[in-house]
Amino acid sequence: MSTADTTTNTTDTTNTNSGSGSGSGSTTDTAVTPSAPGTGGPGPAGGAPGARSVVAVGTDEGRIGLRANLRHIGALARRNALQIKQDPESMFDVLLMPIIFTLLFVYVFGGSVGASLGGSRDDYVNYVIPGLMAMMGMNISMAVGTGVNDDFRKGVMDRFRTMPIARSSVLIAKIVVEIGRMLVAIAILLGMGFLLGMDIKTSALDVGAAVGLSLIFGASLMWIFILLGLTMKTAQAVQGVAMLVLMPMQFGSSIFAPTSTMPGWLQTFTDYNPLSNLADAARGLFNGGPVAHSVWMTLAWALAITVITAPLAVAKFRKKS
């Protein structure tokens, strides 16, 4: 037999084997995409000219184990953290907002509100700093929504959705990094409070509990803003809608002043406002006093918000084009 005949038979055998394998009940849908010429990695991002790679499409989260899911979250969180390193200006809100708000409220409202509390500006510092912890979480959470919206506009999320990773891991990684940013903001806020004469009347454990409660509630709010970021068409729209939510919740609460002088209808609103519960809980953990009701109400709000909005956000992420 000639060399040409041998080559022909070998090719036919290979094609026959490939065809027989295509009908074997595969459980993962895949799409073959050409690699970009001249780049150094597989898939859409790289590969040798003419090479092809298999990219998972429509990966089912239920088939991804917990360990793999955590590994994906860690890798994506590292990617988000490196973005902050490359763009230090994105930390300006975290670094400057606690300083500006502390000085603004203490020196503008501290004298009058402090007197209404039966003390002075120094007493108002002890009142407003725990309340501002609740405000920090809500303002920083808004950045998650605009960031998700911007990633979709740039096509980053489309790339993530072609990878064999859990869809929720992309969103959870963003929340992990924003919790880190929130922790930095709270540390600066407490530093400003101590500089202005704040006096902790409880223990370091109570202060840590107040910080942890603020982080838990802030993380739950991030799901709301992620859902907004996935729903609105532009980052400006996300910011506009977010401000409509932020303003009444922040100023219609006990963050900045006691609610006893407010009209009855507004007091009813503040009683059910989760920011009031968080501010009162943090204030009790800092200054002493009953905290059980406020703590449990804050945790209940955080759980309810997460249970409702997290599945909606993940479902929206799956379907968004």
Side-chain angles (χ1 to χ4, degrees):
M1 182 180 292
S2 65
T3 304
D5 293 337
T6 303
T7 303
T8 302
N9 292 335
T10 303
T11 303
D12 292 341
T13 303
T14 304
N15 292 337
T16 302
N17 292 337
S18 299
S20 63
S22 62
S24 59
S26 177
T27 59
T28 303
D29 296 332
T30 58
V32 180
T33 57
S35 301
T39 54
R52 298 195 302 173
S53 62
V54 179
V55 180
V57 177
T59 302
D60 187 357
E61 289 191 38
R63 297 172 187 161
I64 297 178
L66 177 61
R67 183 179 299 178
N69 206 338
L70 292 175
R71 188 171 64 250
H72 298 158
I73 292 172
L76 291 167
R78 181 174 179 273
R79 173 255 177 193
N80 294 334
L82 288 174
Q83 275 191 320
I84 295 176
K85 183 179 180 181
Q86 293 173 357
D87 182 20
E89 294 179 359
S90 62
M91 287 292 290
F92 281 1
D93 58 337
V94 171
L95 300 175
L96 299 178
M97 186 166 52
I99 299 173
I100 293 173
F101 280 140
T102 301
L103 295 176
L104 180 66
F105 285 104
V106 168
Y107 287 106
V108 173
F109 301 111
S112 58
V113 179
S116 69
L117 293 171
S120 61
R121 181 177 286 112
D122 293 337
D123 296 291
Y124 184 66
V125 173
N126 282 0
Y127 181 90
V128 76
I129 293 296
L132 287 176
M133 288 174 58
M135 184 178 174
M136 291 296 105
M138 195 162 196
N139 282 277
I140 292 173
S141 298
M142 182 174 64
V144 186
T146 57
V148 169
N149 187 280
D150 193 51
D151 281 346
F152 259 106
R153 183 179 59 82
K154 294 178 179 177
V156 176
M157 290 300 186
D158 292 332
R159 174 66 188 276
F160 287 155
R161 292 193 299 182
T162 66
M163 297 179 177
I165 60 177
R167 299 297 174 257
S168 60
S169 64
V170 179
L171 305 180
I172 293 174
K174 279 193 166 292
I175 290 178
V176 169
V177 173
E178 291 302 316
I179 288 175
R181 282 175 18 100
M182 192 186 305
L183 192 57
V184 173
I186 290 176
I188 296 173
L189 176 68
L190 294 179
M192 287 297 300
F194 289 129
L195 286 176
L196 295 177
M198 183 177 67
D199 182 24
I200 301 296
K201 300 174 183 177
T202 55
S203 65
L205 185 61
D206 292 320
V207 174
V211 173
L213 195 63
S214 300
L215 296 176
I216 291 172
F217 185 73
S220 70
L221 292 179
M222 291 177 195
W223 287 110
I224 297 179
F225 292 109
I226 286 175
L227 185 58
L228 282 176
L230 294 170
T231 304
M232 301 288 105
K233 292 183 178 180
T234 64
Q236 290 80 1
V238 175
Q239 290 178 336
V241 174
M243 289 305 298
L244 292 176
V245 177
L246 289 173
M247 296 300 287
M249 289 194 67
Q250 288 178 351
F251 290 96
S253 70
S254 62
I255 290 178
F256 309 112
T259 61
S260 56
T261 59
M262 296 180 181
W265 61 269
L266 187 54
Q267 288 189 35
T268 302
F269 174 77
T270 60
D271 289 340
Y272 291 97
N273 186 342
L275 290 185
S276 290
N277 289 295
L278 177 55
D280 293 340
R283 201 168 286 126
L285 290 168
F286 273 60
N287 302 323
V291 297
H293 175 74
S294 298
V295 168
W296 285 116
M297 285 296 294
T298 302
L299 291 175
W301 270 107
L303 178 62
I305 291 171
T306 303
V307 168
I308 294 172
T309 57
L312 292 176
V314 174
K316 186 69 176 178
F317 179 74
R318 287 175 178 272
K319 299 175 182 177
K320 186 175 175 64
S321 58

